[in-house]
Amino acid sequence: MANLSDSWTIALHGGAGVTPGRDYAEVEAHLGRLVDEGEARLASGESAFNTVEWAVGELEASGLYTAGRGSAPNRAGVVEFDASIICGASGRGGAVAALQDVQSPVAAARAVMERTPHVLLCGEGATAFAREIGLPAIGGDPDYYRLAIGVTAEEMRPAGDGLGHGTVGAAALDRQGRLAAATSTGGVFGKRPGRVGDTPILGAGCWADRHVAASCTGIGEHFILAGGAGDVSARIRYGEAAPPEAMRAMLERVASFGGNGGLILVTADGQAHFDWNSNGLKRAAKGSRIARTLAIL
Ligand code: ASP
């Protein structure tokens, strides 16, 4: 067993954007439970990679967020998922885009990394791969999906502009000093079939290396254009900026394209950072060297 350090941290998000006046008590309680359990897993020596997959799987399965069970259908009435996961220590990652009919898109992303020579599978090929390796499907179960908290059936209606959105994500540092991140979404509402956002693009919606682990949420088109999590990492890695400044600079680029959103970031020294220029960011963090964070607005 490797020597275990006394530094570990987990950060979670349940998406950018909060509708004023809506009751997010269930979301807050859920994020609180998950961050406590995630921190306990890391304290007991679990890897950051396993912990972020577990946390995002729980967020997907809850139906409380616009990911997994809480996802909105596209214009054709079909739910298409995007997800990614990355291990900063090994530099390996996997992702799926426009994936259909799989209960845990993040598990499919992990399988792409571990069971194929590829990094990203999309569309029919991704769905066929998930079938082939036996990942649990959703099937035709009409009761599977539920409206994510804060989303109305009216808002989920194909709007054309696809402004409503939601995502879940996790970033963690384990006791062996390894960072990992994972992100999963049903994407923006009313999206065209085949539309892919930032979430499955490693370096945009999700990133981890030896310095940081980050997960983004917001209008994916603008995060792709702004460079997202990869831009934040590069600013820190090249010594240009401390994490808060790097995150702000990337979000300012997102804003310059007309978008908004937020991100969570865990650094190798066990700190957790959050920033957003949307109306709130559902978030939580806990670690051996930081105070517990749990907030919506
Ligand atoms: N980034 C996601 C997407 O564009 C949506 C979100 O984070 O809310 O698909």
Side-chain angles (χ1 to χ4, degrees), residues 13 15-16 66 82 164-168 183-188 191 195-200 205 216-223 261-262:
H13 74 79
T66 310
D82 295 341
H165 57 90
T167 291
V168 300
T183 313
S184 179
T185 187
V188 294
K191 65 185 181 182
R195 177 269 185 187
V196 173
D198 60 320
T199 301
C216 298
T217 170
I219 310 282
E221 284 72 6
H222 302 125
F223 278 77

Side-chain angles (χ1 to χ4, degrees), residues 84-86 170 180-183 198-208 214-216 228-230:
S84 59
I85 187 165
I86 178 165
T183 313
D198 60 320
T199 301
I201 311 294
L202 290 169
C206 188
W207 183 249
S215 172
C216 298

Side-chain angles (χ1 to χ4, degrees), residues 207-209 211-212 214 228-239 246 265:
W207 183 249
D209 53 30
H211 307 273
V212 300
D231 178 73
V232 174
S233 164
R235 287 175 192 269
I236 296 167
R237 200 165 70 244
Y238 300 157
L265 184 106

Side-chain angles (χ1 to χ4, degrees), residues 7-9 11 173 179 243 265-273 285 289-291:
S7 180
W8 63 87
T9 302
L173 169 74
L179 290 150
L265 184 106
V266 171
T267 47
D269 61 359
Q271 296 301 308
H273 302 268
R289 294 183 173 169
I290 58 167

Side-chain angles (χ1 to χ4, degrees), residues 43-270:
S44 73
E46 182 58 279
S47 72
F49 188 71
N50 283 341
T51 304
V52 295
E53 189 209 348
W54 163 80
V56 168
E58 294 288 322
L59 291 160
E60 290 172 339
S62 70
L64 295 172
Y65 318 87
T66 310
R69 280 187 78 190
S71 297
N74 64 20
R75 282 188 202 187
V78 177
V79 174
E80 290 187 335
F81 305 108
D82 295 341
S84 59
I85 187 165
I86 178 165
C87 169
S90 67
R92 297 183 64 212
V96 285
L99 170 77
Q100 294 183 16
D101 195 21
V102 170
Q103 288 187 18
S104 179
V106 72
R110 179 177 182 154
V112 171
M113 171 183 139
E114 293 182 333
R115 301 172 71 161
T116 81
H118 310 304
V119 169
L120 171 62
L121 289 181
C122 75
E124 284 175 15
T127 306
F129 167 68
R131 280 294 90 74
E132 189 184 305
I133 63 168
L135 290 181
I138 296 161
D141 179 0
D143 298 327
Y144 181 77
Y145 294 104
R146 56 173 283 184
L147 288 180
I149 297 283
V151 176
T152 63
E154 181 65 13
E155 283 169 333
M156 278 171 114
R157 205 169 35 86
D161 291 336
L163 290 177
H165 57 90
T167 291
V168 300
L173 169 74
D174 67 28
R175 298 188 65 179
Q176 294 187 50
R178 300 170 300 197
L179 290 150
T183 313
S184 179
T185 187
V188 294
F189 304 169
K191 65 185 181 182
R192 284 181 174 275
R195 177 269 185 187
V196 173
D198 60 320
T199 301
I201 311 294
L202 290 169
C206 188
W207 183 249
D209 53 30
R210 292 179 187 277
H211 307 273
V212 300
S215 172
C216 298
T217 170
I219 310 282
E221 284 72 6
H222 302 125
F223 278 77
I224 292 172
L225 293 171
D231 178 73
V232 174
S233 164
R235 287 175 192 269
I236 296 167
R237 200 165 70 244
Y238 300 157
E240 282 173 24
E245 286 73 44
M247 295 163 81
R248 200 26 47 179
M250 189 277 287
L251 288 174
E252 278 169 8
R253 275 174 63 73
V254 168
S256 76
F257 299 130
N260 65 72
L263 74 158
I264 59 173
L265 184 106
V266 171
T267 47
D269 61 359

Side-chain angles (χ1 to χ4, degrees), residues 3-45:
N3 284 339
L4 296 182
S5 84
D6 60 0
S7 180
W8 63 87
T9 302
I10 183 166
L12 306 174
H13 74 79
V18 171
T19 306
R22 286 202 180 135
D23 183 3
Y24 290 94
E26 203 181 343
V27 164
E28 202 160 345
H30 187 247
L31 283 174
R33 280 198 305 278
L34 277 191
V35 86
D36 289 345
E37 186 173 341
E39 193 260 348
R41 285 172 181 244
L42 291 167
S44 73

